[in-house]
Structure formats: structure tokens, C-alpha cells
Amino acid sequence: MTFRRSAAKILAAAVVATTLTGFASIEALFAPKAELWQRWTAHDPSATATIDHAAWSAFLARYVTTDAKGVNRVAYARVTAADRAGLRRYIERLSHVPISRFSRPEQLAYWINLYNALTVQVVLDHYPVASIRDIDISPGLFADGPWGADLVTVEGQALSLNDIEHRILRPIWRDPR
């Protein structure tokens, strides 16, 4: 009985918050807090090695267009089987990169590209889908979307999109996106 009341209160608060503040703001209320995982602070400031993101750049060049409002859109319906396989290979290659051995700027590009490539892969794996929010693969009773599902393993650590965003990008680089 207590669980039902708590769930009802959460739902009511979400409805009120959505009505008063708009949908984008409600997402911020339920997003995980930035909580640094110390293991991802390791880096080599003197490293000069770079990570090749040419496969990802080529994918974006083929399938991303900018609409009249300036919003970038991925043409998921046009992605070929060969390019889907290429995206998987790119993500697999990134998962084997010893990212702790790279400089901070190289790490930032790595994490942003990995996050975006994983997001595109998840949508492609469930396409056609109206919204990424409809891809309910995250664990948990109230989980929504794909953000909590472990999608990749880097340096022996299974990671979700939430992990990359809220435990790596936001706390280390203070990235507001």
C-alpha cells in the first residue's frame, strides 16, 4: 500500500512538473546526478597518441542531415546493413582502447563519440521506433529508455549511456550537454 502511494505521488509530481515547466525540465529532475567514478580520472597529460574516428565521421557524413530549424537528423531508414556492421566494428574497436593512457582532449572526443555511436546503434537495433524513449531496455521497475542498460565494456568496466554521461563526461569535463 505504501509503495502504491509513493508511486502515485511521484507520478502526480511528474505530471504537475511537466505541466508547469515543460517536458525538457522534467527530464532534468529524473536524470542521475553527476557522480564521478574515480577510475576514469586516469589520463596521461604527455600522451600524443590519437584515436581514429574516421569510421564514425564517414557514417555521420552519409546519414546526418540538418533540417530547416538547424537540427541534425540521422536518416535511420537509409542505413545499410554494411554500415550497421561498420558502426558495430567501430564501437567494438573503441571498447578495446586503453583510454586511461590518453590525454584529456583525446579522452573527451573518445567519450562523446562513443556515447553518440552507442545511441545511434541502439536506435538502429530497435528501428523503426518513434522515440528513443520507447526503447525500454534499462533494468529496473521504473526504468524508461535505453540509458541504464549496459551497452559496452571499456577497460573491464561495463558501461551504460548514463554511466558515460553522468559518471564520466559531466563530472570530469563539467559538460552541460
Side-chain angles (χ1 to χ4, degrees):
M1 187 69 139
T2 304
F3 174 76
R4 282 187 177 177
R5 282 188 216 153
S6 296
K9 286 180 184 178
I10 290 169
L11 181 59
V15 169
V16 170
T18 301
T19 304
L20 296 177
T21 63
F23 189 77
S25 297
I26 192 69
E27 286 179 334
L29 291 174
F30 291 103
K33 292 183 180 178
E35 185 179 321
L36 177 66
W37 277 357
Q38 285 296 325
R39 72 170 316 225
W40 301 113
T41 61
H43 67 286
D44 182 352
S46 64
T48 58
T50 59
I51 300 167
D52 181 10
H53 297 285
W56 179 236
S57 294
F59 181 94
L60 295 175
R62 271 193 294 282
Y63 297 110
V64 175
T65 57
T66 305
D67 69 13
K69 294 181 181 180
V71 176
N72 291 327
R73 306 244 180 231
V74 177
Y76 292 103
R78 289 189 19 238
V79 178
T80 66
D83 285 337
R84 285 176 186 233
L87 179 60
R88 287 198 181 287
R89 284 191 304 275
Y90 169 71
I91 292 168
E92 178 68 19
R93 188 173 52 75
L94 287 185
S95 74
H96 294 292
V97 168
I99 195 60
S100 297
R101 297 181 190 162
F102 287 82
S103 67
R104 278 284 186 241
E106 203 61 31
Q107 287 179 340
L108 178 60
Y110 169 90
W111 290 115
I112 290 172
N113 286 331
L114 179 60
Y115 181 95
N116 289 330
L118 285 168
T119 301
V120 169
Q121 179 180 296
V122 166
V123 173
L124 285 170
D125 287 348
H126 294 86
Y127 191 82
V129 63
S131 168
I132 193 169
R133 289 179 186 88
D134 297 334
I135 303 170
D136 292 325
I137 59 173
S138 295
L141 182 61
F142 292 109
D144 188 36
W147 298 279
D150 288 340
L151 299 175
V152 67
T153 299
V154 176
E155 293 187 357
Q157 177 68 56
L159 296 169
S160 68
L161 293 171
N162 272 342
D163 294 330
I164 295 170
E165 180 181 358
H166 302 291
R167 294 181 178 94
I168 300 169
L169 286 170
R170 286 182 54 216
I172 293 174
W173 287 277
R174 309 280 188 242
D175 190 313
R177 292 170 280 182

